[in-house]
Amino acid sequence: MKNTDLRNLVVCRDILEDPVIQKIIELVEFREKYPSSPAKNRMESFLQSEVAALLIQQAEKLGISGNLLPAYIVHLLAEGGNVAARTIEAVGSYGKGLLDSLGDDMILLLPYLKVKTTVVIGRDNPFLNNYHPAKKEQNLFETNLLQRLVEMKTITSATRHLLRHYEKWGSGMMARYTAFRIGAGGTLIGIADFPVFNWDDLLGYEDQKYKLLTNTQNFMEGRPANNVLLTGARGTGKSTGVKALAAMFAADGLRLIQIGRDQLELVAPVLEKLNEIRSKKFILFFDDLSFDEGESGYKYLKSAIDGSVTAQPDNVLIYATSNRRHLLKETWSDRNDALEAEVYRQDSANESISLSDRFGLILQR
């Protein structure tokens, strides 16, 4: 293997911090530096064992199977810890500078993707070339990426394919997950068992389905689109419809962010975070949204839709489902002038229905 000194990586230099890559570099450097001798052979055997042990450890941890070293390097690339992936995530595209500089890195990386693990390590352990972990993760993104990179006939075509992979699928958790929930401080947590629903399996309500689908298509194609409120009785497919759309447009870059009613104070930081991921479009999803008398959390959502200091980004739509048309609970006492303690009762009534009025498209199911 020539021209494979990974220490010369530039765009993908972050992978040099990985312990497996560090040990591979140490092994290759040792072979080049020391002549053959019994002592040298013993040390080389020790380094080979260390590399094999680290690879097996990562394979079991991550569920990686097959030809371990190429599969692991592609895993590192798919995770996106490099300048190219971060730039495309933030901007949504790449320029000639990244294409050229990443091309130099691919000259170094491709030989490792096209060789058996045992050839690099130098150990006669054929199981490393076809490894079977205890729990295999079916990561089709990484499997397909490795296969396509190996098939490419030129460095330029391989480089373009990796960049297009980042453009279409993203990297790290944005590539692995279709849907996310919100953790502490507004962090995104991938939902591994997110259910996949087929849009065509949703029967009835054809007019509402058409409007919801058209609105989402407009959003994905960069045309004007509305925030949507879906209202109606339980079991009418409101939530299922939104989840089906997330699966339908996942390959086009759509991701679903589910946020709970008790997390409304996190709407602003979440919007700021999503605005920084320009390679993707997001549906901020509020499921079964409603508010009881005296609750004020709805004001966070109202402020986000209205456009406060943190305006709703153009790559985010808000979809909400509710059993209540006006979202806020209204009692008969709210309509009784004799029992009304507030002087300006009409102002209070307007406030109670103003949130639902902020949705540009309201669909009754």
Side-chain angles (χ1 to χ4, degrees), residues 61-357:
K61 176 183 177 181
L62 302 170
I64 296 176
S65 61
N67 193 10
L68 277 191
L69 184 57
Y72 184 66
I73 292 176
V74 165
H75 167 75
L76 295 178
L77 293 176
E79 281 298 287
N82 58 66
V83 175
R86 288 192 291 266
T87 298
I88 290 174
E89 180 173 278
V91 180
S93 61
Y94 64 90
K96 188 176 183 301
L98 269 183
L99 177 64
D100 293 341
S101 53
L102 182 60
D104 285 348
D105 281 7
M106 294 304 291
I107 293 174
L108 304 175
L109 290 168
L110 275 178
Y112 286 98
L113 304 184
K114 296 181 177 182
V115 71
K116 297 291 186 182
T117 301
T118 51
V119 172
V120 178
I121 296 179
R123 287 182 63 94
D124 187 21
N125 297 129
F127 61 83
L128 295 173
N129 300 326
N130 189 24
Y131 192 80
H132 298 278
K135 185 178 180 181
K136 180 180 177 181
E137 290 290 334
Q138 295 290 339
N139 195 322
L140 297 179
F141 291 105
E142 294 180 10
T143 301
N144 293 338
L145 178 58
L146 175 57
Q147 181 179 347
R148 293 301 304 278
L149 289 176
V150 170
E151 291 173 349
M152 294 297 168
K153 299 185 182 301
T154 67
I155 294 295
T156 300
S157 61
T159 305
R160 287 187 185 279
H161 182 75
L162 180 57
L163 290 169
R164 286 196 298 267
H165 174 88
Y166 291 144
E167 279 187 314
K168 181 173 184 178
W169 300 109
S171 58
M173 65 178 184
M174 281 297 153
R176 289 196 304 273
Y177 302 110
T178 300
F180 300 81
R181 59 184 176 86
I182 304 300
T187 57
L188 301 180
I189 301 174
I191 302 176
D193 55 350
F194 181 71
V196 176
F197 298 103
N198 191 320
W199 178 258
D200 294 330
D201 290 340
L202 302 176
L203 304 178
Y205 305 100
E206 294 305 319
D207 181 60
Q208 293 91 330
K209 282 180 59 179
Y210 172 78
K211 291 178 179 178
L212 182 61
L213 177 59
T214 301
N215 190 71
T216 308
Q217 287 173 330
N218 289 341
F219 175 53
M220 296 305 298
E221 294 170 5
R223 296 197 295 267
N226 291 302
N227 296 318
V228 181
L229 173 62
L230 298 97
T231 69
R234 295 181 182 275
T236 54
K238 301 184 298 297
S239 301
T240 302
V242 176
K243 293 174 182 177
L245 288 172
M248 180 188 298
F249 291 101
D252 299 316
L254 181 64
R255 298 295 181 265
L256 187 73
I257 313 295
Q258 184 160 329
I259 184 167
R261 191 179 69 173
D262 59 343
Q263 297 177 308
L264 290 177
E265 73 278 3
L266 298 176
V267 169
V270 168
L271 289 178
E272 291 178 359
K273 185 184 299 291
L274 299 183
N275 188 40
E276 296 173 355
I277 308 175
R278 305 305 300 181
S279 63
K280 293 286 175 287
K281 295 198 174 184
F282 301 93
I283 290 176
L284 194 58
F285 182 41
F286 299 85
D287 194 17
D288 196 18
L289 186 64
S290 63
F291 301 92
D292 293 325
E293 186 178 3
E295 287 189 79
S296 59
Y298 72 92
K299 294 181 180 180
Y300 290 106
L301 179 54
K302 180 182 172 185
S303 177
I305 297 176
D306 279 345
S308 58
V309 175
T310 304
Q312 182 179 335
D314 59 6
N315 66 330
V316 179
L317 279 187
I318 295 174
Y319 281 14
T321 69
S322 179
N323 298 325
R324 297 176 182 169
R325 166 62 174 80
H326 289 147
L327 296 178
L328 275 75
K329 182 179 180 181
E330 185 180 18
T331 64
W332 284 109
S333 63
D334 295 326
R335 305 187 178 198
N336 191 333
D337 289 330
L339 298 177
E340 179 59 62
E342 187 171 348
V343 175
Y344 299 104
R345 187 183 66 83
Q346 187 61 40
D347 289 348
S348 180
N350 289 337
E351 176 74 6
S352 70
I353 65 174
S354 61
L355 176 56
S356 59
D357 288 343

Side-chain angles (χ1 to χ4, degrees), residues 6 9 15-27 54 69 72-73 76 109:
L6 297 178
L9 289 171
I15 73 172
L16 298 183
E17 300 176 6
D18 181 82
V20 174
I21 301 302
Q22 288 177 347
K23 195 57 64 175
I24 290 285
I25 292 173
E26 184 179 347
L27 175 60
L54 285 172
L69 184 57
Y72 184 66
I73 292 176
L76 295 178
L109 290 168

Side-chain angles (χ1 to χ4, degrees), residues 22-71:
Q22 288 177 347
K23 195 57 64 175
I24 290 285
I25 292 173
E26 184 179 347
L27 175 60
V28 172
E29 184 180 25
F30 178 83
R31 288 172 178 159
E32 295 173 348
K33 187 174 182 178
Y34 296 99
S36 180
S37 68
K40 181 259 185 184
N41 292 340
R42 287 194 296 272
M43 184 60 186
E44 182 178 9
S45 178
F46 174 75
L47 290 173
Q48 291 169 342
S49 298
E50 282 194 307
V51 174
L54 285 172
L55 273 175
I56 292 172
Q57 183 182 52
Q58 292 299 319
E60 293 296 338
K61 176 183 177 181
L62 302 170
I64 296 176
S65 61
N67 193 10
L68 277 191
L69 184 57

